[in-house]
Amino acid sequence: KSRRRYGFLTQIRIDLYLQQAVVFIEDAIQYRSINHRVDANSLRLYRWYYSRIWQLGLGLTIAVVLMLAFIERPSSFSYTSDPRFRPPPWEPPCGLTEGIEIVCLVIFAIDFATKSYLIGWEEFRKCKWLIVYILAVSASVIDWALTLSMYCDQNLRVRRLIRPFFLLQNSSLMKKTLKCIKRTLPEIASVILLLALHLCLFTMIGMLLFAKGEVHSQNGEWEAYFRDLPTSFSSLLVLLTTANNPDVMIPAYSLNRGYSIFFILFSGFGTYFLMNLLTAIVYNQFRGYLLMSVQASILRRRLGVRAAFEVMSCQGWGQDRVRVDASLQVMARVQMKSYYRQAIIKQLSDGFIQWEAFRRLFDELDKDRIKEHPPKPEYNSSLLQGLQLLFCHYYVTVVGNAVALANVMCICTILVLDSEKSIAERDDYYMEVINCFFILYYLMEMSLKILAFGWRGYLSYRNNIFDGLLTVCLLVLQITIFATYRLPFPKWNPASRGLMSLWEMVRLVNMLIVVRFLRIIPDIKLMALIASTLVDLVKNLRAFAGILVVSDSTVIEVDLYLFLYSVMSNSSMKNITVECGSYEQLGYWPNNFDDFASSLVLLYNVMVVNNWQVFMDAYTRYTTQWSKVYFVSWWLTSSVMWVNLFVALILENFIYKWDRSVMCSVADVERTGYETTVQLMFR
């Protein structure tokens, strides 16, 4: 009896070791820390917490709580943001958004409690993010209760400023990016100080050059741009972004061409030297931090693999080796991609495995699989074999690209000829006949390629999926046109029927044809390299986009409190005579801070910096001079910091792909079963 009990306890202990090894390997795959509870119940809870269902639900909860900003008062539910034409927006009843929000906060509280329990008290005290997490949830609940106690008539809602933190806290990549930005700030601050010194010196020189004179006709520069210190400083700051060039120098330049030297020197040193120096600093720091981040990730992976090896070697077979059958049991339970599992299992043999060999097994995790196309179908008929040989050839793709180019040129020619005609005067007969011919060719090309490659082979190529999807859409639209408006004939312009008119349906067909022309991109090497860089950027930009969402949401909540209805809803302004180039004269009314969506567009326009001085001038005139500080701060954050970080991401991805394309041929890559990607580890 005691022997059976001992065997039972031994089996429980072995199962626990295997379960610990499974979790440690999953930690290694996801670059997670192994500092968490390792008892059986905690491990089950740990795997549930990091399961796809819970993480997906948590991400959906964060998205919902952030989207509430578009619904809450002031609501963004109106078809236009222009206050002159905007109807009263829909306002949610009191308790609707609050009910959704409290459910989200409860989920965040459960998430915090689970994570805190799993890592233990000692690790919790070291984790500042979790401490701030519980403070954020608590503050949000208190503010939520205050809102309900005031019957939803609360103007300042502190929890709206806290919401972006939930997105930041849940992403380790965003935390890494934030640390990178924090490390870069001292270098950026030094250049910004030099930039401020540059602005101050030229501001004083400008005020001395363009002082008020006795002759009124010669005071144009002073009146418009150098009347006082704030005006002079803001004029040159806007010139630094080139938004008011050459307007800022025209009054002085019209009097004496020598004044242009002042403005050229200012822009040359500030815009083309200091601003580009900022880009170089951000790129250098980001690239260095990327390498450091990859090193830290590799160390976490090695630590997880070592921990798995240690617990598996504690089963009584020696401290320096593990059984292969135990490794197979562990790999069968680990949640990972199937081709990684197959690649690791393929290297296992019978008997025992030492530490170095065990560690090398997981080097496969640092490699990305190159997709292999399925074999082509085999035909007995000589005719089908000939068609298969013909339509598998590269020149068929070249001919298809030429046909797509001819189709686009035909559409362009007809659009140029009909550009001055109204919709009622246009004859869609020729356009429809041309479209029918080309769509039949696209359908024939798709069918013969399916015949040559087979269904699985055809769908294994991304460009074939792109072509096939658009061809099916074009065919469906063309059949719908024939069913609704019959076959085309000269002077064919029937009356509108159904949901869409004939012109709208033809226009949709033409837009799909133009989009289909993008199929030429993979066949031009440099264009394909740039396109692949953009696709890879979409994968790598998750952390960057998250930082943008956090900063934009926080800034918008601040400006909604500071500027809400300050300018755009003042009806007394709308019919007054204003000077040329002002906010009112340019009709910039839709750009306002009246709701969350319009604030988002306004901040984007300021980030682009084209005419951003118009927004700054309007809010300065109707609020206070201190509003300039807000716009300049946003310009520094978005245009200087975020845009330069975006440039750094583009450079890093493009240089990596360019080096690979130069050093490795396509044949070299295809002979390799797996392809190492640094970007994959960073993701």
Side-chain angles (χ1 to χ4, degrees), residues 254-509:
S254 62
L255 296 176
N256 190 329
R257 68 179 69 206
Y259 284 126
S260 63
I261 298 174
F262 169 82
F263 297 99
I264 292 172
L265 286 176
F266 175 81
S267 297
F269 186 76
T271 305
Y272 297 107
F273 178 73
L274 292 179
M275 297 301 290
N276 288 324
L277 183 61
L278 271 175
T279 303
I281 289 174
V282 172
Y283 171 67
N284 184 61
Q285 289 293 324
F286 176 80
R287 189 167 185 267
Y289 189 77
L290 172 60
L291 296 176
M292 291 178 61
S293 174
V294 171
Q295 291 172 0
S297 298
I298 291 174
L299 288 175
R300 282 195 295 272
R301 172 162 290 179
R302 291 284 177 87
L303 188 60
V305 172
R306 182 68 188 189
F309 180 83
E310 290 294 333
V311 296
M312 291 172 66
S313 64
C314 290
Q315 299 179 12
W317 302 304
Q319 295 296 320
D320 297 327
R321 60 181 186 173
V322 297
R323 291 180 64 92
V324 171
D325 56 352
S327 301
L328 291 173
Q329 293 180 44
V330 169
M331 296 309 303
R333 295 166 60 181
V334 171
Q335 294 182 359
M336 61 191 308
K337 293 182 178 179
S338 59
Y339 56 83
Y340 285 144
R341 181 183 288 107
Q342 293 171 5
I344 293 174
I345 292 177
K346 190 183 297 184
Q347 299 186 36
L348 292 172
S349 57
D350 295 334
F352 296 89
I353 184 170
Q354 304 294 328
W355 158 243
E356 284 299 325
F358 187 82
R359 181 189 60 80
R360 285 195 297 270
L361 290 176
F362 295 92
D363 290 343
E364 299 295 329
L365 297 175
D366 296 332
K367 302 174 183 178
D368 195 13
R369 184 182 64 169
I370 295 179
K371 187 176 181 181
E372 295 182 359
H373 301 291
K376 299 173 185 176
E378 297 180 0
Y379 298 106
N380 296 324
S381 171
S382 57
L383 176 63
L384 293 179
Q385 290 176 357
L387 288 174
Q388 184 181 41
L389 182 64
L390 176 64
F391 279 88
C392 287
H393 202 278
Y394 171 72
Y395 287 118
V396 173
T397 303
V398 176
V399 172
N401 292 339
V403 172
L405 176 62
N407 194 357
V408 172
M409 292 180 65
C410 290
I411 294 174
C412 183
T413 302
I414 294 178
L415 289 176
V416 170
L417 294 175
D418 293 346
S419 60
E420 298 294 332
K421 298 179 181 179
S422 65
I423 296 176
E425 296 172 341
R426 298 188 182 195
D427 187 0
D428 296 321
Y429 169 71
Y430 298 103
M431 180 78 80
E432 189 59 25
V433 169
I434 292 172
N435 287 346
C436 288
F437 170 78
F438 283 106
I439 290 172
L440 287 175
Y441 174 82
Y442 298 152
L443 183 62
M444 180 192 70
E445 181 189 34
M446 182 183 73
S447 303
L448 291 175
K449 279 189 175 182
I450 293 174
L451 176 70
F453 292 100
W455 273 107
R456 293 180 59 194
Y458 180 83
L459 296 176
S460 66
Y461 294 89
R462 293 179 181 177
N463 53 340
N464 285 344
I465 297 175
F466 179 76
D467 280 352
L469 183 62
L470 288 178
T471 300
V472 170
C473 291
L474 288 171
L475 182 64
V476 170
L477 276 173
Q478 201 61 55
I479 294 174
T480 305
I481 291 174
F482 291 160
T484 307
Y485 298 103
R486 300 181 182 178
L487 295 177
F489 53 87
K491 303 298 180 183
W492 180 58
N493 197 2
S496 176
R497 303 174 188 171
L499 296 176
M500 300 176 67
S501 66
L502 174 62
W503 165 243
E504 289 173 338
M505 298 182 75
V506 172
R507 183 168 56 180
L508 183 57
V509 168

